[in-house]
Amino acid sequence: CARRGSSIHNAMSSGTFLTKFETKSNRVKGLSFHPKRPWIVASLHNGVIQLWDYRMGTLLDRFDEHDGPVRGVHFHKVQPLLVSGGDDYKIKVWNYKLRRCLFTLLGHLDYIRTVQFHHEYPWIVSSSDDQTVRIWNWQTRSCVSVLTGHNHYVMCVQFHPKEDLIVSASLDQTVRVWDISGLKKKTLGSSDNPPSSSTISTDLFGGNDTVVKYLLEGHDRGVNWASFHPSLPLIVSGADDRQVKLWRMNDTKAWEVDTLRGHVNNVSSVMFHPKQELIISNSEDKSIRVWDMSKRTGVQTFRRENDRFWIMAVHPEQNLLAAGHDSGMLVYKLERERPAYTLQEGAGDTPATQMLYIKDRYLRMAEFHSARDIPLLAMRKAAGSGSGPRSISYNEAERSLIAFSDADGGTYELYTIPKDSRNNQEAPEAMRGPGLGAVFVARNRFAVLDKSRQILIKNLKNEVTKKLSPPHATTDLIFYAGTGMLLCRSEDKMTLFDLQQKRAMGELTCPGVKYVVWAHDMRHVAFISKHVVVLARRDAQKLEQICTVHETIRIKSGAWEEDKCFLYTTLNHIKYCLLSGDSGLIRTLDAPVYLCKVSGNKVYCLDREGSMRTLAIDNTECLFKTALVERKYDEVLKIIKRSKLCGQSIIGYLQKKGFPEVALHFVKDEKTRFNLAIECGNIEVALASATALDDKDCWHKLGVEALKQGNHQIVEMAYQKTKDFERLSFLYLITGNVDKLSKMLKIAEMRGDIMGRFHNALYLGDALERVKILKEIQQPALAYITAKTHGLTELAEDLGALIESTGIKEKVEESILSPSKAGLLFPPTPIFRENNWPLLRVSKGYFDGGGEQKVETAAVAELDGDIGGGWGGEDLDLGDDGTKDEDAAFGGRFGDEEGSEGGGGGGEGGGGWDIDDLDLGDLGAPTTSKSTPSASGGAGFFAPPTMGTPALQRWQQASSVPGEHMAAGSFETAMDLLRRQCGIMDFAPLKPLFVSVYLGAQAVISSTPGAPLIESALHRNAVDNAWTPRGTGGLPAVCITLASLSERIKLGYKAFTEGKLPEAQIAFVYVLQAVLAAVVDSKQDLEELRELMGICKEYITAVLLETTRRDQFKDDAQRNVELAAYLTHCNLQPLHLLISLRSAMSSAVKLKNFNTAASFCRRLLELNPKAEHKEQALKVLKVCDANRSNQVQLDYDERNPFVVCTQSYKPIFRGQPMSRCGFCHAPFAPQFKGTKCNVCVVGEIGFSGTGLQNSRQQRERGAAYSADFD
């Protein structure tokens, strides 16, 4: 807390942070970096502990069990633990993996200021306002020592990083160093003898296990912080006397070395930099100061306008610091760690083989292939802060170098490199000048962007030869773009500027470009910004954007490989991006590196220490995708055969790009092979996989695909496997196989399938059999008609006598046509009977031969049979009656010999189909059959071309937006996404929405009469966007638009105004649910969509409150007024808020709660109502002021912020626990967690999802209201 002194304004100039991460929150009082992971934990003044990933910028977790401010927090070095101490006198140990508090340590009698884990022992040290320091054993959960001696608040305590020492700082103006070696021997010397309670009691009264080794006195006021140096015997302290003191100690004594003055208010925290000879301090004067430890002088000062600094932390291994202030915290660096480097251009078509870079104030040259590293030039140290030049530009012809740095607002230095630089140890005198950027543009010219935003062309004597105006007045940086050309950055644009013609040649929108990397051919260029890589092409001096890649973490560097592939690094990965827009991961990194050159399977790079490193990479995936996009199929086959390229990602990529036949080469799983084979129309591979899987669904899909291709022999086999009698009969009909139709008729009779018998008799034209069937099923009239029509005189006479007794013969006679008008109903004769139907001939591709595998013997043999073995006599369950006759009809082979084989061999197991008598011919394997037209056509031809991926399938595969899955008709995946993203638990109310979105994305086009209708997918970017060659860039049209939702909102407003609350509720609920299916393409539209959600939530809550007040609490005056009061706190339009305030005012007056009514009057008057309403409110306010009382105590406090639970209709005040709906974010009491939300009617209360996605560019950030874009 701000307890002492006042802030004094300081007019000193302040530097700028290299801020890496920043949060906005309550005052931060404690900070700690995780030693390994990119995490930082912050403890806040409101009692919340936040765990952040500062690299990704996301809140990982929050802990809020402390009551009051939490002033100290610390990560354990190895275990997944963190410790916190707060104003509730409690020390809590948390397991951040389990996300809960493990235990609480009690003992301190006042506020706890700091806590820290020991790096080796199972100890925690804490300091408190009770004037003690305590050491705890977190394994035994007990206090092992109490250090007394300070006579005021102990503000800080820390373990020494290596020795058995503790340093503490107190407001008694002293710093004490404690020796804890005795405590170590006593408590950790023997695991068999744990400390007894009597030992701890001794410590309470000042035992000798921990003794004061040094007492440091020198500060004039209370000391707030003291820290050990990580390796030297030094201590630094900061106090309320606004001074930072440096102390040295040896084995016997400690003394003050120097005092650092400069802060103008209390020094809150001070620490040593872990890697450099620096001291960093922060203060309540709103500044952070950096001091040179050797010179004892200030180096940098960073200042915030309104926030006082309270705490600081340094990362133990990286060059990162963190500071907590009044409104949050920030993670920052003191200086840039990226070394300045440039590649030396090769001659002709030869790529660069050398690199110039700066390390330790020396210009060095590295040769990639020979691994030589030669120092060329000693460079002058730049004035001010910073580690050195930001960038360098090299002119090989004149051996000149420009080094640009940020010192003094931007300066450049022009060096001439001596030809013999081996013995050159002194820095040569350089020509200098101010500017925002400087690069060479010709052999003896370089360009400078001066601070007035003009481009100056200078010669090697640093003389201005020409002055130009940049293409934009806001140009703030320039980059090399070839001889006589510059790339100029201005706001969110990159402009190609011709210095000779003095005009812009091309322009691209690329926000925040930090680095530009040209390919060797100077035709392709990569623009690198903080989170985006944009690849572009320079064609005829114009810039054309090729593709864009978004990353969630910072992009550090990049390099081209053969002008086709761009490799770039993030903080922990090397990735690639192709000109086609495809991107992927190459390898992970243990530390950030900066790419210099890519050569085959090696990358040359610099690390943050400026050391050259060579990393091995596997760029097979990159080469494979490049060859595939360029359609170099011979290279693709070579890569397939020589590499181990596999995995679901590459298979998914090939399917997405429309190359399922290539994916077949990588797949071993039979189910996946089958689906890929069906997709690319490879019947042979599909048949082999279906045989291995023997799954009914697979056989059905195989039959459908084979029928498309006209391979009716495989269709027949598939129908046999699935026992699809109707389709099999129809197949025999259209192929003219009368013998098998006869056998199907016999099988139907054995199965007792009346309709099957009749259909087969109809297909065969067997009128006698049809009459027999009709007679058997007691349909004599139909049997008589059939016999009479087909001229079966004897049967007709017998049947006529039978129906004559029933008295319906005359009516039947009337319906019989005369023989002259009758026609014989008989199926037409097929043109092709024996062989498969003619197939479309196409040239065989590169991959189809390799993708085809020989069909196994069993699969080939199965084609020789008729109906499969699974259809044996045992399956038919025919019984014993008539078996002999049925066997005779099938040649005496029904179920006797092969029925026990179970489906193996050349038949099909069950002999019930008398396979030997069917005489199907020797079909053989489809790849070698001589009877199929696909083989007889000659080598190099096969069945079908590859069918493209349907638009609906592409939508589903390329998106995680639920609305686009609805448009694709994939309701299951849409429901799964909604369930995972925002916890939708009841989909019944959403059925009309799903159906309407799906139908709205389809169009049906009529064609020629008799032909089927053509279904076409509708795209919302059909006009504006350029699609990829395979059409994968199309985005589905979704009928839910912002305009339509806004109109519904207006209808809801109108109904609410007119008091038609049920109609208003229907309108707002519809809009709220429709948001689930809405799809937008810009951040502005997404924010508007989230705003509509908030409006609907507020109005639905208001309607629920009002309807409940009217219906359930009409006779309960107290609850009636309470709900009316709650309604006035909904975020409504001014007109509607005025209505609610008038209603609440009236109800409160009737209850004689005049104070409450007066508050409603005042709020109403603030809305500037109509004259009559204003007059009424003034009258009521006058009455209320005369009777300042409330007759009934209400559960309502307008001064305490609250939200209303729409289940219990009770207020939830700030600080009280509550749960929210996973979708609409409506608040509820915790007891309703897991139930359905009654605001949106579909969401689950208390569900924590990844957040609803309404756009493909939207990132999942763990919050339903996230509107972040890549």
Side-chain angles (χ1 to χ4, degrees):
C1 61
R3 61 193 185 282
R4 300 173 302 275
S6 60
S7 179
I8 301 175
H9 179 71
N10 186 2
M12 288 181 62
S13 62
S14 60
T16 57
F17 288 111
L18 293 176
T19 305
K20 297 299 178 183
F21 172 64
E22 188 169 2
T23 66
K24 297 295 183 184
S25 66
N26 206 285
R27 183 183 302 167
V28 175
K29 300 296 290 184
L31 288 172
S32 178
F33 281 102
H34 194 283
K36 299 297 181 184
R37 299 184 179 182
W39 294 354
I40 187 169
V41 63
S43 59
L44 310 184
H45 195 266
N46 62 359
V48 176
I49 301 172
Q50 295 178 335
L51 178 59
W52 292 90
D53 185 324
Y54 55 80
R55 183 179 293 175
M56 300 292 292
T58 55
L59 179 64
L60 301 178
D61 212 336
R62 66 195 304 271
F63 310 96
D64 54 0
E65 292 186 17
H66 276 286
D67 184 13
V70 184
R71 300 180 185 274
V73 67
H74 191 250
F75 273 115
H76 195 280
K77 186 176 181 180
V78 179
Q79 299 295 329
L81 302 175
L82 62 90
V83 62
S84 62
D87 285 6
D88 53 3
Y89 314 162
K90 297 176 182 178
I91 297 174
K92 290 181 177 289
V93 177
W94 313 78
N95 187 311
Y96 53 75
K97 284 188 177 180
L98 300 179
R99 306 177 67 179
R100 65 183 179 88
C101 177
L102 298 181
F103 55 88
T104 302
L105 301 173
L106 300 175
H108 280 297
L109 305 177
D110 207 336
Y111 296 169
I112 297 170
R113 293 288 177 173
T114 60
V115 288
Q116 185 189 22
F117 281 109
H118 195 279
H119 63 280
E120 182 180 354
Y121 309 148
W123 288 351
I124 295 171
V125 66
S126 60
S127 63
S128 170
D129 286 0
D130 63 7
Q131 305 179 16
T132 66
V133 173
R134 291 177 182 252
I135 301 176
W136 313 78
N137 188 316
W138 58 265
Q139 290 181 341
T140 62
R141 305 183 183 182
S142 62
C143 178
V144 297
S145 184
V146 179
L147 282 60
T148 59
H150 286 293
N151 53 28
H152 209 308
Y153 300 163
V154 184
M155 303 298 292
C156 167
V157 65
Q158 288 185 6
F159 285 113
H160 193 282
K162 297 179 180 179
E163 301 177 16
D164 294 329
L165 298 175
I166 287 177
V167 64
S168 61
S170 171
L171 295 188
D172 62 8
Q173 304 180 17
T174 66
V175 175
R176 293 175 182 248
V177 179
W178 310 76
D179 188 342
I180 57 172
S181 56
L183 182 66
K184 172 188 173 184
K185 294 176 182 178
K186 175 181 175 182
T187 59
L188 302 175
S190 174
S191 60
D192 299 330
N193 299 315
S196 63
S197 58
S198 61
T199 303
I200 298 176
S201 299
T202 304
D203 289 337
L204 290 172
F205 295 99
N208 57 3
D209 299 325
T210 55
V211 296
V212 177
K213 189 172 183 180
Y214 310 119
L215 179 61
L216 309 180
E217 296 178 311
H219 284 287
D220 298 330
R221 298 186 66 182
V223 186
N224 292 319
W225 204 267
S227 298
F228 284 115
H229 193 280
S231 58
L232 300 175
L234 298 174
I235 296 173
V236 67
S237 61
D240 287 349
D241 58 7
R242 307 174 185 178
Q243 297 176 1
V244 175
K245 288 185 179 290
L246 183 64
W247 314 79
R248 181 177 289 274
M249 59 184 179
N250 58 19
D251 294 337
T252 59
K253 64 177 181 178
W255 64 95
E256 180 180 339
V257 176
D258 207 345
T259 300
L260 308 176
R261 295 178 175 87
H263 284 293
V264 295
N265 208 331
N266 305 330
V267 179
S268 303
S269 180
V270 58
M271 294 181 180
F272 291 102
H273 195 284
K275 292 188 175 183
Q276 301 180 36
E277 297 298 308
L278 298 174
I279 295 173
I280 305 99
S281 62
N282 63 15
S283 166
E284 294 179 38
D285 64 7
K286 307 173 187 176
S287 71
I288 296 176
R289 293 176 182 260
V290 182
W291 314 83
D292 189 312
M293 199 169 72
S294 58
K295 297 181 180 179
R296 322 278 169 74
T297 58
V299 178
Q300 293 172 277
T301 301
F302 304 111
R303 175 175 296 279
R304 290 183 74 88
E305 291 296 328
N306 302 309
D307 299 316
R308 296 166 295 178
F309 287 101
W310 298 103
I311 189 65
M312 189 164 51
V314 294
H315 198 286
E317 297 181 4
Q318 300 180 23
N319 182 26
L320 286 176
L321 298 96
H325 51 78
D326 283 332
S327 59
M329 65 129 176
L330 52 91
V331 178
Y332 62 97
K333 290 182 179 180
L334 296 180
E335 57 190 24
R336 293 168 49 84
E337 294 182 285
R338 178 190 177 98
Y341 64 92
T342 184
L343 296 181
Q344 185 174 335
E345 297 297 329
D349 296 331
T350 305
T353 58
Q354 295 177 336
M355 179 186 65
L356 299 178
Y357 69 100
I358 296 174
K359 178 182 180 182
D360 298 332
R361 294 174 54 194
Y362 271 88
L363 177 67
R364 310 180 71 91
M365 181 179 70
E367 296 182 349
F368 295 123
H369 300 297
S370 64
R372 289 199 306 162
D373 194 329
I374 307 168
L376 298 180
L377 188 68
M379 303 190 69
R380 188 181 69 90
K381 185 177 181 180
S385 62
S387 59
R390 181 186 183 94
S391 63
I392 57 176
S393 178
Y394 182 59
N395 182 346
E396 183 181 7
E398 300 294 336
R399 295 183 63 85
S400 299
L401 180 88
I402 295 175
F404 174 77
S405 66
D406 293 327
D408 300 326
T411 58
Y412 68 90
E413 295 179 347
L414 178 62
Y415 291 90
T416 300
I417 302 175
K419 293 185 178 180
D420 185 9
S421 56
R422 296 180 182 177
N423 301 320
N424 186 27
Q425 298 296 328
E426 296 184 0
E429 191 64 28
M431 290 177 280
R432 304 177 186 87
L436 302 177
V439 292
F440 281 104
V441 292
R443 177 170 180 171
N444 56 359
R445 293 289 188 272
F446 65 95
V448 177
L449 179 65
D450 68 5
K451 295 183 180 180
S452 62
R453 307 299 174 94
Q454 296 293 310
I455 297 176
L456 307 179
I457 307 301
K458 296 188 176 184
N459 58 24
L460 298 183
K461 296 180 181 180
N462 203 25
E463 299 170 343
V464 177
T465 61
K466 187 185 296 185
K467 188 174 183 180
L468 305 173
S469 296
H472 298 281
T474 56
T475 299
D476 57 0
L477 198 57
I478 56 175
F479 300 93
Y480 174 74
T483 303
M485 304 290 288
L486 284 178
L487 277 170
C488 300
R489 184 185 77 178
S490 58
E491 296 177 342
D492 59 348
K493 296 182 178 64
M494 291 297 293
T495 306
L496 184 62
F497 186 64
D498 191 317
L499 298 175
Q500 295 293 329
Q501 302 183 40
K502 301 180 183 180
R503 67 184 184 93
M505 307 300 294
E507 190 171 90
L508 279 183
T509 300
C510 304
V513 173
K514 299 170 66 178
Y515 309 106
V516 173
V517 183
W518 286 95
H520 182 257
D521 61 1
M522 292 300 290
R523 292 186 62 249
H524 296 91
V525 62
F527 301 110
I528 302 176
S529 56
K530 187 175 180 180
H531 293 288
V532 180
V533 174
V534 177
L535 300 188
R537 180 186 296 110
R538 178 166 72 174
D539 190 10
Q541 299 301 331
K542 294 186 181 296
L543 288 177
E544 175 189 356
Q545 183 170 332
I546 301 175
C547 63
T548 303
V549 178
H550 296 268
E551 291 289 340
T552 55
I553 59 178
R554 295 173 187 266
I555 301 169
K556 308 303 291 184
S557 64
W560 286 90
E561 180 187 13
E562 297 183 355
D563 307 329
K564 299 177 182 177
C565 176
F566 183 71
L567 272 63
Y568 62 95
T569 62
T570 63
L571 285 171
N572 50 7
H573 290 111
I574 297 180
K575 298 186 176 183
Y576 69 86
C577 178
L578 304 181
L579 297 178
S580 60
D582 298 317
S583 59
L585 176 66
I586 293 182
R587 64 165 287 172
T588 57
L589 299 170
D590 53 356
V593 296
Y594 303 92
L595 291 186
C596 305
K597 177 181 170 59
V598 183
S599 178
N601 59 354
K602 293 181 180 180
V603 293
Y604 300 94
C605 53
L606 290 171
D607 59 19
R608 282 179 165 172
E609 283 70 37
S611 301
M612 174 63 69
R613 295 178 59 184
T614 303
L615 302 179
I617 61 171
D618 183 3
N619 59 352
T620 307
E621 181 180 329
C622 176
L623 297 175
F624 175 80
K625 290 183 178 180
T626 302
L628 196 64
V629 170
E630 295 179 353
R631 302 189 179 275
K632 296 180 179 179
Y633 298 133
D634 51 346
E635 294 184 17
V636 173
L637 281 176
K638 289 179 183 178
I639 295 173
I640 291 173
K641 293 175 182 178
R642 296 177 183 176
S643 66
K644 297 180 180 179
L645 197 63
C646 61
Q648 291 299 321
S649 61
I650 195 68
I651 295 169
Y653 170 81
L654 291 169
Q655 283 186 284
K656 180 180 177 181
K657 293 297 182 180
F659 293 99
E661 66 275 14
V662 185
L664 277 174
H665 292 270
F666 302 101
V667 182
K668 302 299 181 185
D669 177 65
E670 290 294 347
K671 185 72 174 179
T672 310
R673 283 184 62 81
F674 175 81
N675 291 329
L676 289 171
I678 290 294
E679 187 176 347
C680 65
N682 195 326
I683 292 297
E684 290 78 10
V685 176
L687 175 60
S689 297
T691 304
L693 293 169
D694 198 20
D695 178 69
K696 184 175 181 180
D697 185 55
C698 291
W699 284 114
H700 174 72
K701 291 181 180 178
L702 178 63
V704 172
E705 184 62 29
L707 191 62
K708 289 181 181 179
Q709 300 187 18
N711 195 330
H712 64 77
Q713 294 169 341
I714 293 181
V715 176
E716 177 186 356
M717 179 182 177
Y719 289 168
Q720 292 173 6
K721 288 289 188 180
T722 57
K723 300 182 182 179
D724 199 335
F725 299 99
E726 290 78 8
R727 285 189 172 91
L728 197 57
S729 296
F730 192 75
L731 178 68
Y732 291 148
L733 168 67
I734 61 179
T735 56
N737 201 326
V738 179
D739 294 337
K740 292 183 181 178
L741 265 178
S742 301
K743 291 180 174 61
M744 289 298 298
L745 176 62
K746 189 66 176 177
I747 290 297
E749 183 178 358
M750 289 187 290
R751 292 175 56 243
D753 183 3
I754 300 299
M755 288 305 298
R757 286 178 61 195
F758 188 82
H759 285 155
N760 283 293
L762 191 64
Y763 296 157
L764 287 166
D766 191 344
L768 184 63
E769 182 67 20
R770 297 208 301 275
V771 172
K772 178 181 176 182
I773 295 169
L774 292 171
K775 185 178 179 181
E776 289 177 2
I777 62 174
Q778 305 301 318
Q779 294 289 339
L782 293 176
Y784 174 73
I785 294 173
T786 305
K788 188 77 172 176
T789 303
H790 288 82
L792 302 175
T793 309
E794 295 180 1
L795 280 175
E797 291 176 356
D798 295 340
L799 292 168
L802 181 63
I803 64 173
E804 190 172 4
S805 61
T806 61
I808 61 172
K809 184 176 180 181
E810 295 180 358
K811 295 181 180 179
V812 172
E813 290 286 351
E814 293 176 0
S815 62
I816 299 176
L817 297 173
S818 62
S820 60
K821 295 181 180 180
L824 181 62
L825 182 63
F826 196 82
T829 303
I831 299 175
F832 292 90
R833 296 197 181 193
E834 297 296 330
N835 299 330
N836 285 327
W837 297 327
L839 306 178
L840 178 64
R841 294 185 176 184
V842 295
S843 298
K844 184 178 292 187
Y846 272 89
F847 309 105
D848 304 297
E852 297 170 356
Q853 295 182 350
K854 292 187 177 180
V855 183
E856 298 178 1
T857 305
V860 177
E862 285 179 353
L863 285 176
D864 294 333
D866 185 12
I867 307 300
W871 293 27
E874 296 174 357
D875 291 343
L876 294 176
D877 193 18
L878 301 175
D880 297 331
D881 297 337
T883 303
K884 184 179 293 185
D885 296 336
E886 292 156 2
D887 285 354
F890 279 78
R893 293 182 56 83
F894 185 82
D896 293 334
E897 298 179 11
E898 297 180 15
S900 61
E901 295 296 321
E908 272 298 326
W913 283 86
D914 198 1
I915 295 172
D916 291 342
D917 293 340
L918 293 182
D919 191 21
L920 299 181
D922 185 12
L923 298 180
T927 55
T928 58
S929 173
K930 295 182 180 180
S931 61
T932 61
S934 61
S936 62
F941 297 95
F942 79 113
T946 301
M947 185 176 68
T949 306
L952 302 186
Q953 184 177 343
R954 291 199 305 270
W955 296 348
Q956 177 185 348
Q957 292 173 348
S959 173
S960 59
V961 179
E964 296 190 350
H965 284 248
M966 296 180 200
S970 181
F971 292 169
E972 289 187 6
T973 57
M975 289 190 289
D976 182 65
L977 286 171
L978 291 174
R979 193 179 297 111
R980 175 164 51 87
Q981 292 178 1
C982 50
I984 302 301
M985 62 185 301
D986 185 6
F987 289 94
L990 302 178
K991 182 179 178 181
L993 178 68
F994 275 60
V995 174
S996 62
V997 171
Y998 170 65
L999 295 178
Q1002 316 297 320
V1004 179
I1005 306 170
S1006 60
S1007 56
T1008 57
L1013 297 176
I1014 301 172
E1015 293 185 3
S1016 176
L1018 301 179
H1019 296 82
R1020 64 179 184 270
N1021 62 336
V1023 178
D1024 301 331
N1025 286 47
W1027 293 4
T1028 59
R1030 292 180 175 268
T1032 55
L1035 302 177
V1038 178
C1039 59
I1040 305 297
T1041 63
L1042 282 174
S1044 63
L1045 296 182
S1046 299
E1047 290 300 319
R1048 285 281 186 144
I1049 290 281
K1050 293 177 182 177
L1051 293 177
Y1053 285 160
K1054 182 179 179 182
F1056 193 93
T1057 305
E1058 296 173 354
K1060 300 176 181 178
L1061 298 184
E1063 293 182 16
Q1065 184 176 4
I1066 291 173
F1068 290 119
V1069 170
Y1070 171 83
V1071 174
L1072 188 58
Q1073 294 177 354
V1075 171
L1076 294 168
V1079 180
V1080 295
D1081 296 312
S1082 69
K1083 185 174 182 179
Q1084 181 180 356
D1085 290 345
L1086 184 63
E1087 291 173 349
E1088 186 175 346
L1089 198 64
R1090 294 292 180 262
E1091 184 180 351
L1092 293 182
M1093 285 182 62
I1095 292 172
C1096 293
K1097 181 193 72 172
E1098 293 294 332
Y1099 271 88
I1100 295 170
T1101 302
V1103 170
L1104 291 174
L1105 286 170
E1106 183 64 16
T1107 54
T1108 304
R1109 184 178 75 88
R1110 294 180 183 180
D1111 299 340
Q1112 298 183 21
F1113 301 111
K1114 185 176 182 181
D1115 300 325
D1116 188 343
Q1118 178 181 347
R1119 287 292 287 153
N1120 191 291
V1121 175
E1122 286 177 352
L1123 266 63
Y1126 301 157
L1127 177 58
T1128 65
H1129 289 266
C1130 293
N1131 189 11
L1132 307 179
Q1133 294 291 322
L1135 174 61
H1136 302 146
L1137 182 59
L1138 190 145
I1139 295 173
S1140 66
L1141 286 169
R1142 291 185 64 204
S1143 174
M1145 177 184 69
S1146 175
S1147 301
V1149 170
K1150 292 177 182 177
L1151 193 63
K1152 296 185 178 180
N1153 274 35
F1154 296 109
N1155 287 341
T1156 305
S1159 69
F1160 295 144
C1161 292
R1162 294 186 182 94
R1163 291 174 57 194
L1164 190 150
L1165 292 172
E1166 291 175 358
L1167 296 176
N1168 194 21
K1170 294 181 179 179
E1172 59 268 25
H1173 297 159
K1174 182 176 181 180
E1175 183 179 355
Q1176 181 188 18
L1178 289 173
K1179 289 180 180 178
V1180 173
L1181 182 59
K1182 185 175 181 181
V1183 173
C1184 293
D1185 288 340
N1187 302 274
R1188 294 179 178 273
S1189 64
N1190 280 339
Q1191 185 170 335
V1192 179
Q1193 182 65 35
L1194 301 178
D1195 187 10
Y1196 169 70
D1197 184 0
E1198 66 169 337
R1199 293 179 297 276
N1200 191 0
F1202 67 89
V1203 291
V1204 182
C1205 170
T1206 52
Q1207 291 277 19
S1208 63
Y1209 299 102
K1210 293 283 188 180
I1212 305 173
F1213 293 99
R1214 178 180 292 176
Q1216 293 181 347
M1218 68 174 171
S1219 296
R1220 289 189 179 272
C1221 171
F1223 165 46
C1224 68
H1225 217 56
F1228 294 90
Q1231 63 263 30
F1232 298 108
K1233 185 176 182 180
T1235 61
K1236 187 170 69 172
C1237 171
N1238 65 340
V1239 175
C1240 62
V1241 201
V1242 291
E1244 178 182 347
I1245 299 173
F1247 181 86
S1248 179
T1250 58
L1252 176 64
Q1253 285 198 289
N1254 296 104
S1255 172
R1256 292 195 182 188
Q1257 289 77 33
Q1258 186 182 352
R1259 294 184 302 202
E1260 296 187 9
R1261 297 295 295 266
Y1265 282 81
S1266 170
D1268 290 334
F1269 270 59
D1270 290 333

